[in-house]
Amino acid sequence: MTDDFLTITILGSGGSPGVPMPGCDCAVCNSDDPHDQRTRCSALLSYGGHNLLIDMATDLRQQSLREKLMKIDAVLLTHIHADHLHGIDDLRPFNRHVEGPIPIYACPADIAHLRRVFPYIFTDLVKEGYRPRLEARSFSGPFRLFGLQVQPIPLRHGNGSSYGFRVGPFAYLTDCSEIPELSLKLLAGVTTLVIDGLRFRPHITHFNIPEAIAEAARIGAGQTWLTHLNHEISHQRHGRQLPPGVAFAYDGLKIQVPINTGFS
Ligand SMILES: [Zn+2]
Ligand SMILES: [Zn+2]
Ligand SMILES: [Zn+2]
């Protein structure tokens, strides 16, 4: 067993319409600070030469080009909202770099949704055409992926649900409005956290920023990055108001955490 580093790249830090938001003329949507340019919410976990994509955001193509992403080994799906899923066809070029289909991990209900909404990918109905070759794999608890344990974290997302993912001392919790008590136990010992903090005002399906900060304190994370930010958040102006150990994520942010990969 060896210690290594998990590198997290924030591919997208924006809310569902992205920032700037089409049709809006507000100060943040007109900001020339690159931190205020937010593509749809997604992240990449890299370790041991493997790249794990969390969500297939609607900006996946743009994010892949920006980060010069050459390979995706597996995908984790947090939930089925379009901003996290509908970049799925942008996985097609990545099939060239791996043998066989790319595995996509989701809860059983979300796998059923994938089969229903994307039959040309997940059923044999369509035999030809340029479609992503993906293999749906459902999880019902922790699973191992390329030598690391991935712990799904059940979350409430308004009246719906989503999954966060924990890998070692790192957890990624996007799109949530409540962390159930059992899930809080699964987060014990997390030191580095990325968590949904949509805006300062309350929202029915997302933590607002004060709530996200309070949840990070409950978890006890030393460093917290707020993501899924909407156009009401000015990176510079509001960033100064955040407490120590809490900051706004931004597109292209890289975070490193030491991790035991199990590789020898
Ligand atoms: Zn979202
Ligand atoms: Zn705006
Ligand atoms: Zn959502």
Side-chain angles (χ1 to χ4, degrees):
M1 304 283 267
T2 52
D3 280 339
D4 205 338
F5 283 93
L6 174 72
T7 301
I8 301 104
T9 305
I10 298 297
L11 296 178
S13 58
S16 57
V19 183
M21 184 167 75
C24 186
D25 200 28
C26 77
V28 174
C29 287
N30 281 302
S31 166
D32 53 13
D33 180 356
H35 296 97
D36 288 332
Q37 314 277 314
R38 305 180 180 114
T39 59
R40 265 60 74 85
C41 205
S42 169
L44 187 76
L45 308 184
S46 307
Y47 62 95
H50 297 102
N51 284 332
L52 261 169
L53 178 69
I54 303 183
D55 287 337
M56 298 149 284
T58 21
D59 296 311
L60 178 56
R61 177 181 181 278
Q62 187 185 345
Q63 294 163 343
S64 303
L65 293 171
R66 189 191 70 219
E67 298 299 327
K68 302 193 186 332
L69 192 53
M70 299 303 289
K71 186 170 77 107
I72 292 172
D73 298 286
V75 181
L76 309 177
L77 181 64
T78 61
H79 67 309
I80 56 169
H81 283 166
D83 49 325
H84 298 260
L85 173 56
H86 285 206
I88 192 165
D89 273 32
D90 290 346
L91 288 172
R92 291 177 301 176
F94 295 103
N95 277 128
R96 294 188 308 145
H97 298 291
V98 290
E99 274 185 41
I102 297 172
I104 169 167
Y105 292 82
C107 69
D110 289 357
I111 295 284
H113 176 92
L114 293 178
R115 292 194 199 285
R116 194 169 63 249
V117 175
F118 302 101
Y120 65 97
I121 301 174
F122 292 102
T123 72
D124 289 331
L125 287 176
V126 179
K127 300 249 185 257
E128 53 194 31
Y130 184 27
R131 55 181 176 153
R133 284 181 294 116
L134 307 176
E135 181 186 311
R137 295 185 186 174
S138 67
F139 57 68
S140 53
F143 54 95
R144 287 191 77 77
L145 208 47
F146 310 119
L148 272 192
Q149 172 158 298
V150 178
Q151 172 69 63
I153 310 287
L155 301 167
R156 300 300 307 162
H157 183 23
N159 285 327
S161 58
S162 75
Y163 281 85
F165 295 102
R166 175 180 186 170
V167 177
F170 171 75
Y172 182 85
L173 312 178
T174 190
D175 289 62
C176 47
S177 51
E178 184 189 337
I179 302 174
E181 285 302 319
L182 281 175
S183 295
L184 199 62
K185 289 191 171 67
L186 298 175
L187 294 165
V190 163
T191 58
T192 305
L193 178 68
V194 175
I195 188 168
D196 184 357
L198 181 75
R199 64 186 188 188
F200 283 96
R201 293 184 294 131
H203 191 279
I204 195 161
T205 60
H206 295 269
F207 284 135
N208 66 8
I209 288 168
E211 289 168 338
I213 292 170
E215 292 301 315
R218 279 213 306 162
I219 293 166
Q223 181 63 55
T224 296
W225 301 92
L226 304 175
T227 194
H228 212 287
L229 306 169
N230 84 354
H231 69 138
E232 296 176 21
I233 306 303
S234 158
H235 187 89
Q236 290 267 348
R237 191 159 61 86
H238 296 117
R240 290 192 284 270
Q241 301 173 16
L242 297 176
V246 181
F248 292 126
Y250 52 88
D251 287 29
L253 169 68
K254 285 190 191 296
I255 306 163
Q256 279 205 320
V257 294
I259 201 156
N260 195 321
T261 62
F263 298 123
S264 54

